[in-house]
């Protein structure tokens, strides 16, 4: 049976007694708590579509404005998300990614018990742009790799990464190598010693191309992350521009009181 139908039926049969109009608790809050409990118990699952505001208002016998208030609060708490012209859905649980420690995508996925994967969509050796010459302090005739990969977890797209690496640092890099971990290849097969990275994160909206690769709609929220990785001796190793799915990731950092 189709998921939305099950949920609609569920709401129809049990909603009447769910809202207590005599309670001092506001009606929108009662509905909000009810939907939240359905998500927490797993009766509503990530990706399930909710009945429309009109249908919910009818089954709860309350106004659409009240339903909208409850849904907006749950959207603001990231428990639900709205898709233009399509409906309101239960959010997927986000990966919590620590902003501590220089790790690879493959390591991050494995530490969550997921199988990391890659889809290489671009591999090129080219002359560096001004930005890359400055960043890596290259000579005009040095070459850089431009690598574009869709990063997968258990086969599901998580991010698109475009990496630039000077060819002289990894002369043997090939398309085949890039079907698995780049950091593993650099460290274990080339003796590269990665030291530290600087990373910036900013909110952005999925472009048409991002949407196509990440199974999103254009305009959906994404995280734009730029990492500049350096070797132990301080020389720049890679410049990576990534687009991570906004519905899948949240970043966490430990902060200490400054004294
Ligand atoms: C992360 C970083 C990238 C890095 C990649 C290496 O995704 N954002 O800067 O290139 O890890 O991952 P792997 O070793 O799995 O290819």
């Amino acid at each position: 049976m189709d998921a939305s139908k099950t949920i609609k039926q569920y709401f129809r049969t049990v909603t009447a007694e769910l809202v207590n109009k005599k309670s001092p608790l506001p009606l929108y809050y009662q509905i909000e708590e009810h939907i939240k409990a359905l998500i927490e118990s797993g009766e509503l699952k990530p990706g399930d579509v909710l009945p429309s505001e009109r249908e919910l208002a009818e089954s709860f016998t309350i106004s659409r404005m009240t339903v909208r208030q409850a849904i907006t609060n749950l959207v603001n708490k990231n428990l639900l998300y709205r898709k233009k012209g399509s409906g309101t859905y239960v959010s997927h649980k986000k990966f919590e990614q620590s902003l501590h420690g220089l790790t690879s995508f493959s390591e991050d996925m494995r530490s969550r018990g997921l199988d990391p994967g890659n889809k290489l969509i671009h591999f090129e050796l080219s002359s560096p742009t001004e930005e890359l010459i400055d960043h890596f302090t290259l000579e005009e005739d040095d070459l850089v790799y431009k690598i574009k990969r869709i990063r997968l977890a258990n086969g599901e797209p998580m991010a698109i990464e475009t990496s630039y690496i000077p060819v002289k640092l990894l002369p043997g890099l090939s398309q085949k190598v890039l079907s698995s971990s780049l950091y593993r290849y650099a460290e274990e097969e080339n003796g590269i010693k990665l030291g530290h990275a600087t990373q910036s994160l900013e909110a952005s909206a999925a472009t048409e191309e991002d949407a196509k690769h990440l199974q999103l709609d254009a305009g959906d929220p994404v995280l734009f992350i730029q990492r500049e990785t350096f070797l132990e001796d301080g020389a720049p190793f890679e410049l990576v521009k990534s687009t991570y799915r906004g519905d899948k990731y949240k970043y966490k950092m430990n902060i200490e009181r400054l004294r």
Side-chain angles (χ1 to χ4, degrees):
M1 208 189 311
D2 124 345
S4 63
K5 209 165 168 192
T6 320
I7 297 157
K8 279 181 192 169
Q9 284 169 348
Y10 177 81
F11 274 112
R12 277 210 188 95
T13 51
V14 294
T15 41
E17 62 268 31
L18 281 175
V19 280
N20 177 355
K21 293 188 176 158
K22 291 196 186 112
S23 161
L25 291 174
L27 288 176
Y28 73 82
Y29 180 75
Q30 293 183 45
I31 295 163
E32 195 182 318
E33 285 299 301
H34 175 64
I35 296 177
K36 202 166 134 195
L38 288 176
I39 295 173
E40 279 163 6
S41 69
E43 279 163 274
L44 280 177
K45 296 195 173 34
D48 278 351
V49 63
L50 251 68
S52 69
E53 287 177 3
R54 183 184 51 76
E55 286 170 310
L56 286 174
E58 276 170 17
S59 33
F60 285 116
T61 59
I62 51 164
S63 77
R64 268 175 83 164
M65 263 195 22
T66 306
V67 171
R68 188 164 310 150
Q69 172 80 64
I71 289 183
T72 301
N73 290 353
L74 291 166
V75 168
N76 291 339
K77 289 177 183 161
N78 289 325
L79 288 169
L80 299 177
Y81 64 97
R82 291 189 172 108
K83 266 195 174 187
K84 247 190 223 150
S86 163
T88 306
Y89 295 80
V90 179
S91 300
H92 294 265
K93 253 194 150 173
K94 295 190 177 186
F95 291 150
E96 212 168 78
Q97 177 73 42
S98 163
L99 278 175
H100 178 76
L102 173 55
T103 53
S104 71
F105 181 85
S106 304
E107 289 164 341
D108 292 341
M109 293 306 116
R110 282 203 193 94
S111 69
R112 298 187 174 102
L114 299 169
D115 191 19
N118 283 308
K119 199 164 142 204
L120 183 65
I121 51 173
H122 188 91
F123 180 75
E124 176 190 357
L125 277 76
S126 57
S127 297
T129 57
E130 284 296 325
E131 183 198 8
L132 296 174
I133 291 178
D134 279 357
H135 179 69
F136 292 110
T137 26
L138 295 172
E139 304 294 332
E140 296 259 318
D141 55 355
D142 282 333
L143 292 176
V144 285
Y145 294 111
K146 179 179 177 188
I147 302 155
K148 204 163 179 179
R149 294 184 291 171
I150 300 171
R151 312 303 316 255
L152 313 165
N154 284 356
E156 201 188 345
M158 295 290 130
I160 309 177
E161 289 198 322
T162 307
S163 318
Y164 300 91
I165 300 172
V167 170
K168 59 187 176 192
L169 292 182
L170 282 180
L173 190 63
S174 64
Q175 302 199 23
K176 184 161 173 272
V177 163
L178 290 165
S179 59
S180 65
S181 169
L182 170 70
Y183 281 9
R184 196 206 59 77
Y185 173 75
E187 294 182 311
E188 292 177 22
E189 293 186 36
N190 290 268
I192 295 263
K193 298 216 179 311
L194 299 177
H196 73 282
T198 55
Q199 189 159 294
S200 64
L201 285 81
E202 58 191 289
S204 187
T207 61
E208 293 282 345
E209 199 205 346
D210 298 335
K212 185 176 90 196
H213 293 306
L214 297 177
Q215 295 173 2
L216 297 173
D217 288 334
D220 276 354
V222 289
L223 277 167
F224 178 73
I225 301 180
Q226 180 158 320
R227 181 185 284 187
E228 296 169 7
T229 312
F230 300 87
L231 303 176
E232 263 182 10
D233 66 7
F237 168 71
E238 64 167 3
L239 173 67
V240 183
K241 300 181 185 201
S242 319
T243 303
Y244 277 74
R245 283 176 62 161
D247 61 338
K248 292 282 181 193
Y249 270 84
K250 81 172 168 201
Y251 278 78
K252 190 180 173 183
M253 58 196 118
N254 282 322
I255 45 177
E256 283 174 24
R257 184 86 180 103
L258 293 178
R259 302 202 185 277

